[in-house]
Amino acid sequence: MQLTLEFGGGLELLSNSVKIHNVNVELKNGAEKLTMKDLLAWVRTNLIKERPEMFMKGDSVRPGVLVLVNDCDWELSGQLDTTLEEKDVVVFISTLHGG
Amino acid sequence: MEEVADTKARKGGARLCSLCDQRRAALKRPKTLEQICRECFYKVFEEEIHQVIVENQLFKPGERVAIGASGGKDSTVLAYVLSELNRRHNYGLDLFLLSVDEGITGYRDDSLETVKRNEIQYGLPLKIVSYKDLYGWTMDEIVKMIGLKNNCTFCGVFRRQALDRGAALLKVDKVATGHNADDIAETVLLNILRGDIARLSRCTSITTGEDGPIPRCKPFKYTYEKEINLNQICTYAYFKRLDYFSTECIYSPNAYRGFARELIKDLERIRPRAILDIIKSGENFRISTNTKMPEQRTCERCGYISSQKWCKACVLLEGLNRVCQSWVLGEAKALIMMAERK
């Protein structure tokens, strides 16, 4: 499944300072849908090159990281249960810094 | 834009904004758990700040106010919201941007670029004060001298004074900072963890230092950090970019506040109201009459406000200069020894 992933707020430093990634994510064997939970695991394995604990805590993103799916707060679409579709845009923004 | 919104409507659960019932809901407010659209969010966000300003009488017409501007998301949004509300509700304020240059290469020089952009975007005059000018040391130099363990203590103390001196140079009546609800809740926890009763009794006040030269206020006291972020992100999504600078200070990983921040973030996930409730608890602490509180006096070395003979900044500077001297002496001794051996 083709997806566009964006990192911001300093998270890009974890993925070789690349902010925008156009990726192709394989669904798990036998799986019909791709959920955010699956995607997070995929990102951690394939895109995060250092300090994964800054991106994720357990199954979900570290508290303080905002997630938008197609410009919508993922809290609205079910957080980890959000299902993704072809060409979706997912944005991860870290807010753990001074202001 | 709207067509895409319709086909992807299921992403927001096809829910309409609970406030206007017209547009698609784009986010869930942490404070109220309402699902609302961007336009309503901007409106609600800005009007709530206006209410806080009015109810707490933060400003008076004709006042000169400096906005502590670091280039980060909080102070950038504060600069925008204050100048907008000043216009919309005729506060009659003279607004300025005040920035502190701690001399951290690769961090502060970048964020100062953001503030310079803000100066142009919002038309607010900017003043920058630097540690080098005020104290003779940059943070880069300080960290080289003392390492990464207590550097945040230096920076925090120096910055507070630097803001006051900058405010005095600008001849303003008040300083507004972008501290948000998360920050204040963290501070309450920090002070409890450290047993700092004096600070605990002051840290939840929305205005502080009224008995000093220049009072400070925190219009974002009841604003969740997440909402400030959502504000930024909504604008980013709409390409009306509110620029802000967004990385962690390179010297901060060991700061004690980091632990309080993690705790607050974890708490927020389970029970978002915890942040405001911690602030409420802090506001209602009463100090036992038996507790001895420090007295306020002035520093004998520089005249700044202090609870001890010397203010913390002077104590720290003296320490720095002594370490520097002994280091210099040590180097000199080593050179002499090398010369004698030859």
Side-chain angles (χ1 to χ4, degrees):
Chain A
M1 184 179 295
Q2 306 277 16
L3 299 170
T4 304
L5 307 179
E6 278 188 50
F7 293 99
L11 277 181
E12 63 274 20
L13 294 173
L14 306 178
S15 64
N16 289 335
S17 297
V18 177
K19 278 194 169 169
I20 304 184
H21 300 254
N22 290 306
V23 299
N24 198 347
V25 180
E26 302 269 322
L27 271 72
K28 282 204 294 244
N29 278 337
E32 284 177 15
K33 297 184 288 189
L34 184 70
T35 62
M36 274 303 299
K37 187 168 177 195
D38 302 326
L39 180 64
L40 285 182
W42 187 93
V43 169
R44 180 172 42 196
T45 313
N46 295 287
L47 292 182
I48 304 294
K49 301 298 176 197
E50 54 180 284
R51 292 180 293 161
E53 70 280 4
M54 301 292 274
F55 178 62
M56 281 180 72
K57 192 169 178 177
D59 278 338
S60 188
V61 291
R62 186 184 176 199
V65 174
L66 288 177
V67 184
L68 297 178
V69 180
N70 299 325
D71 288 348
C72 248
D73 187 357
W74 76 333
E75 301 269 343
L76 287 185
S77 51
Q79 263 210 26
L80 287 171
D81 298 324
T82 309
T83 47
L84 296 163
E85 290 187 354
E86 207 63 50
K87 306 247 187 68
D88 273 353
V89 179
V90 183
V91 180
F92 300 99
I93 305 195
S94 171
T95 66
L96 290 164
H97 44 69
Chain B
M1 215 25 201
E2 272 312 313
E3 272 172 22
V4 177
D6 286 342
T7 51
K8 300 282 185 193
R10 63 172 177 78
K11 281 280 154 51
R15 235 168 248 126
L16 289 180
C17 167
S18 59
L19 290 180
C20 70
D21 217 25
Q22 284 169 25
R23 288 170 288 254
R24 183 178 67 114
L27 55 99
K28 192 159 142 184
R29 281 198 83 184
K31 196 182 239 182
T32 57
L33 302 179
E34 284 165 324
Q35 301 191 358
I36 58 179
C37 68
R38 271 188 211 102
E39 287 83 353
C40 287
F41 176 60
Y42 285 137
K43 249 193 272 174
V44 172
F45 183 83
E46 287 162 18
E47 282 311 299
E48 278 181 11
I49 304 295
H50 172 62
Q51 282 311 310
V52 168
I53 289 174
V54 167
E55 279 166 26
N56 293 279
Q57 292 163 9
L58 295 187
F59 305 118
K60 288 198 279 285
E63 275 183 333
R64 291 165 66 92
V65 177
I67 300 169
S70 64
K73 62 184 185 333
D74 302 307
S75 50
T76 303
V77 177
L78 181 65
Y80 172 71
V81 172
L82 273 188
S83 57
E84 183 55 33
L85 292 179
N86 192 28
R87 216 186 338 264
R88 195 186 295 167
H89 294 284
N90 295 318
Y91 292 163
L93 302 175
D94 240 334
L95 294 173
F96 299 86
L97 290 173
L98 177 55
S99 247
V100 176
D101 181 4
E102 305 98 336
I104 302 176
T105 346
Y107 174 72
R108 189 49 80 203
D109 36 9
D110 285 345
S111 70
L112 281 178
E113 288 310 305
T114 304
V115 190
K116 288 181 192 156
R117 273 201 295 278
N118 293 158
E119 179 184 20
I120 301 169
Q121 281 165 323
Y122 311 138
L124 302 174
L126 166 66
K127 171 117 196 102
I128 302 177
V129 287
S130 77
Y131 282 6
K132 191 68 185 176
D133 289 339
L134 288 173
Y135 310 114
W137 290 79
T138 62
M139 273 314 291
D140 285 343
E141 288 165 356
I142 292 176
V143 171
K144 238 185 244 152
M145 187 64 57
I146 63 160
L148 285 169
K149 239 176 145 198
N150 296 310
N151 48 303
C152 294
T153 302
F154 280 78
C155 198
V157 171
F158 286 169
R159 183 173 318 109
R160 188 158 285 121
Q161 265 207 31
L163 270 179
D164 279 345
R165 292 196 203 273
L169 287 168
L170 277 173
K171 296 200 183 37
V172 294
D173 304 299
K174 204 162 274 175
V175 172
T177 55
H179 290 94
N180 56 51
D182 295 49
D183 293 325
I184 298 184
E186 282 162 26
T187 305
V188 172
L189 282 182
L190 268 178
N191 289 330
I192 292 177
L193 291 171
R194 286 172 169 159
D196 193 332
I197 310 300
R199 288 207 168 82
L200 190 57
S201 63
R202 295 192 300 259
C203 68
T204 47
S205 303
I206 196 171
T207 306
T208 49
E210 275 150 316
D211 47 352
I214 301 185
R216 293 170 183 221
C217 65
K218 305 178 170 80
F220 284 165
K221 176 183 171 188
Y222 300 104
T223 311
Y224 279 67
E225 181 172 54
K226 184 172 178 195
E227 303 223 333
I228 295 180
N229 281 298
L230 285 172
N231 189 307
Q232 286 286 297
I233 287 155
C234 286
T235 336
Y236 155 88
Y238 265 166
F239 306 112
K240 272 188 297 181
R241 289 199 99 98
L242 276 184
D243 271 273
Y244 75 100
F245 182 70
S246 61
T247 338
E248 267 188 273
C249 174
I250 49 183
Y251 294 142
S252 74
N254 296 326
Y256 196 39
R257 180 175 284 271
F259 301 105
R261 180 169 294 154
E262 284 277 335
L263 183 55
I264 295 284
K265 285 293 171 215
D266 286 336
L267 277 172
E268 186 188 14
R269 200 166 247 204
I270 310 169
R271 192 173 166 274
R273 270 211 73 86
I275 294 178
L276 290 180
D277 289 341
I278 289 175
I279 296 177
K280 182 157 171 211
S281 301
E283 284 167 340
N284 288 292
F285 282 145
R286 291 291 172 266
I287 311 295
S288 150
T289 45
N290 296 331
T291 310
K292 187 164 189 300
M293 297 287 269
E295 270 171 42
Q296 186 184 299
R297 33 206 290 214
T298 48
C299 173
E300 287 178 14
R301 194 167 171 268
C302 73
Y304 191 68
I305 195 173
S306 171
S307 62
Q308 313 291 326
K309 215 161 92 136
W310 277 14
C311 73
K312 194 78 187 272
C314 285
V315 170
L316 292 175
L317 274 174
E318 182 67 12
L320 266 182
N321 290 326
R322 288 223 186 123
V323 171
C324 186
Q325 273 172 18
S326 67
W327 177 83
V328 167
L329 271 177
E331 286 287 293
K333 272 194 194 144
L335 284 172
I336 294 172
M337 272 167 63
M338 273 170 58
E340 281 172 357
R341 266 196 218 120
K342 287 190 194 140

